Amino acid sequence: SLLFDIRVGDMQRSGVIMHRPLMSVSLTRCDRLASEYHGEIPLYSPSWVIFAPNLIVDASIGIFSTVSLYVEYAESAFTNKCDFLQFILNRRSTKDLFLEKFKSLLIDNQLTLKEISKVFSWIVEPYVQRLISPLKYTENVSKYALIADAYEPLIIEQSEMVSRVFLLANECPSIDKQRFVQCMLQYLLSLQENAIDPEPYFLNEILVPAMVAAGELNRLQQFLHYRVIPDAKQLAFQLLSHEAKHAPLIQLAVDMLARLGTAAEEIVEVLLSRGQLVDAIRFLDGLSLSEKINSMKLLESAWKQDRRVRYAVFSYFQDRSIRSRYSNFTNSEQYDEYLRRFKALFTSDEVEAAKRDSQFAVVLPE
């Protein structure tokens, strides 16, 4: 018997599609049929009557049977691994086998990037087909017609690709990290071409850490800059954890948090951890959110720096509390202690001298 799959290995010549057999196989009787029928069962008998999709009736001995295909034994018949994956993908109830084989081929680096891109296009391509009932009543004849089931593509969800292919492959110590990143980027491209939003877990927990581990930091920076990878608070914190490996990531993380608009306190924490106290105050002042941030936290950070910074920060919050009736700066339990420290920073003579030095012009008496 010649086994064909019209969706695998098509060849076009002068606009005509030519199908070639994938393999040559021989039918065998299953153990159940051999045990229940003790007589001789001739194979390929002229008395066979075949019905779609896989029904065989042997009219000479009165046996009604089906033909089953064991896909897992077909791999040796394929020289092209990509064709084998498509062959599995075209079958029913082969999702587990496909995911396992695809993961193994990725780990062993047996597929080219072009073939991987083709496989991903098969996986994420939206399928919209109308289901046809296997039994359909026809009006021209007064009987039921047996019609083959409509072809239904194997649907593989993002969660299945992530948990059963990418996550397991990422944990394999022998995998080529850079090539694995390229494979996942092909999957991301296929999702975006089909207007499918990638799952946050895939981006934040697998793709970004894999790019960092593979040293693809410049490419990651470009993806974040051009929003190839969408903004997310979890992703921003992930970037902050890799600051030591690539310094520009921290600014990208801060920009991402600022665009989200709901992470002002987190941005302040990041700036304070880097010793950028003045930048943190400017950021809050620009967003008019200073009242919502604990001013004592900023004062505590200021007191770790020189006395000029301490004086400027305390004066800023003191002036702001006078202008804003919503400020709770002076009502804090620690206010009196910081006020005492503030008064001891400079003597009155030093303050007056600083004021004179800061003047742009002095009007002299005539």
Side-chain angles (χ1 to χ4, degrees):
S1 297
L2 298 178
L3 181 62
F4 289 82
D5 187 328
I6 61 174
R7 294 174 63 90
V8 178
D10 296 340
M11 298 178 59
Q12 290 193 13
R13 292 181 180 177
S14 301
V16 178
I17 299 178
M18 303 179 62
H19 301 290
R20 57 181 175 81
L22 298 179
M23 64 190 76
S24 176
V25 296
S26 297
L27 297 178
T28 58
R29 292 174 295 177
C30 66
D31 295 338
R32 179 183 175 185
L33 181 60
S35 62
E36 293 183 359
Y37 184 81
H38 301 289
E40 182 181 357
I41 303 177
L43 298 178
Y44 303 100
S45 171
S47 60
W48 278 8
V49 180
I50 302 175
F51 298 94
N54 63 336
L55 307 178
I56 296 179
V57 177
D58 193 324
S60 63
I61 58 178
I63 289 181
F64 187 90
S65 60
T66 60
V67 177
S68 298
L69 180 65
Y70 294 91
V71 182
E72 58 271 22
Y73 301 117
E75 184 174 6
S76 59
F78 289 87
T79 56
N80 188 318
K81 299 299 183 182
C82 191
D83 287 345
F84 176 58
L85 289 176
Q86 188 178 19
F87 179 72
I88 300 176
L89 202 59
N90 293 340
R91 313 272 77 77
R92 293 183 179 181
S93 305
T94 55
K95 182 182 294 186
D96 294 341
L97 177 62
F98 174 82
L99 293 173
E100 179 62 29
K101 291 296 181 182
F102 187 40
K103 181 199 69 176
S104 300
L105 292 174
L106 287 182
I107 293 176
D108 297 336
N109 197 15
Q110 297 188 40
L111 296 173
T112 65
L113 287 178
K114 185 177 181 179
E115 290 174 334
I116 291 172
S117 177
K118 187 185 299 184
V119 174
F120 285 143
S121 67
W122 298 334
I123 294 174
V124 302
E125 181 183 0
Y127 297 98
V128 182
Q129 290 189 357
R130 185 178 179 179
L131 298 179
I132 302 176
S133 175
L135 288 178
K136 182 179 178 181
Y137 182 76
T138 57
E139 296 181 355
N140 55 344
V141 290
S142 300
K143 62 180 181 180
Y144 285 96
L146 191 62
I147 300 176
D149 292 344
Y151 170 73
E152 297 181 31
L154 193 64
I155 304 299
I156 299 178
E157 303 292 341
Q158 275 194 71
S159 57
E160 294 171 326
M161 279 297 301
V162 171
S163 62
R164 302 181 61 180
V165 177
F166 294 137
L167 186 60
L168 297 179
N170 189 42
E171 295 174 351
C172 180
S174 62
I175 194 170
D176 186 338
K177 295 295 184 182
Q178 289 187 335
R179 183 172 176 81
F180 180 56
V181 167
Q182 292 176 338
C183 295
M184 290 192 292
L185 292 179
Q186 289 292 335
Y187 182 62
L188 178 62
L189 177 62
S190 297
L191 292 176
Q192 293 178 340
E193 286 179 344
N194 289 274
I196 300 175
D197 294 330
E199 289 188 351
Y201 182 83
F202 167 61
L203 296 174
N204 304 337
E205 300 297 333
I206 300 181
L207 179 59
V208 171
M211 294 184 73
V212 173
E216 297 283 352
L217 298 174
N218 291 328
R219 178 181 289 186
L220 175 60
Q221 182 179 345
Q222 291 178 351
F223 283 2
L224 295 170
H225 180 73
Y226 292 105
R227 314 284 180 84
V228 176
I229 299 177
D231 295 341
K233 183 180 290 189
Q234 182 182 2
L235 175 58
F237 293 139
Q238 182 80 246
L239 297 176
L240 292 174
S241 65
H242 300 299
E243 176 193 3
K245 297 180 180 178
H246 194 61
L249 291 180
I250 189 167
Q251 187 59 48
L252 291 171
V254 172
D255 293 342
M256 185 179 295
L257 291 173
R259 287 193 298 268
L260 292 172
T262 58
E265 188 169 355
E266 287 83 354
I267 295 176
V268 171
E269 291 287 351
V270 172
L271 294 174
L272 291 180
S273 66
R274 303 185 68 198
Q276 298 176 346
L277 174 62
V278 176
D279 291 336
I281 295 176
R282 286 175 179 169
F283 169 75
L284 293 174
D285 193 49
L287 295 179
S288 300
L289 291 174
S290 297
E291 295 88 352
K292 299 182 181 180
I293 302 297
N294 187 356
S295 55
M296 292 302 156
K297 181 185 298 185
L298 298 173
L299 281 178
E300 182 180 350
S301 179
W303 245 256
K304 297 177 182 178
Q305 302 188 34
D306 60 56
R307 61 176 184 165
R308 289 177 298 179
V309 175
R310 301 175 193 176
Y311 188 92
V313 172
F314 189 89
S315 300
Y316 166 80
F317 282 111
Q318 199 170 40
D319 293 341
R320 190 173 181 85
S321 66
I322 297 174
R323 296 194 307 267
S324 176
R325 59 179 178 175
Y326 299 105
S327 176
N328 58 358
F329 175 66
T330 57
N331 298 328
S332 173
E333 296 179 356
Q334 298 173 298
Y335 172 74
D336 293 335
E337 175 63 22
Y338 277 109
L339 179 61
R340 183 186 63 80
R341 296 181 184 180
F342 171 74
K343 291 180 178 180
L345 289 174
F346 295 96
T347 64
S348 57
D349 293 338
E350 289 176 318
V351 173
E352 291 298 327
K355 289 181 179 180
R356 287 195 304 269
D357 294 341
S358 64
Q359 292 177 351
F360 291 101
V362 178
V363 179
L364 298 176
E366 296 181 357

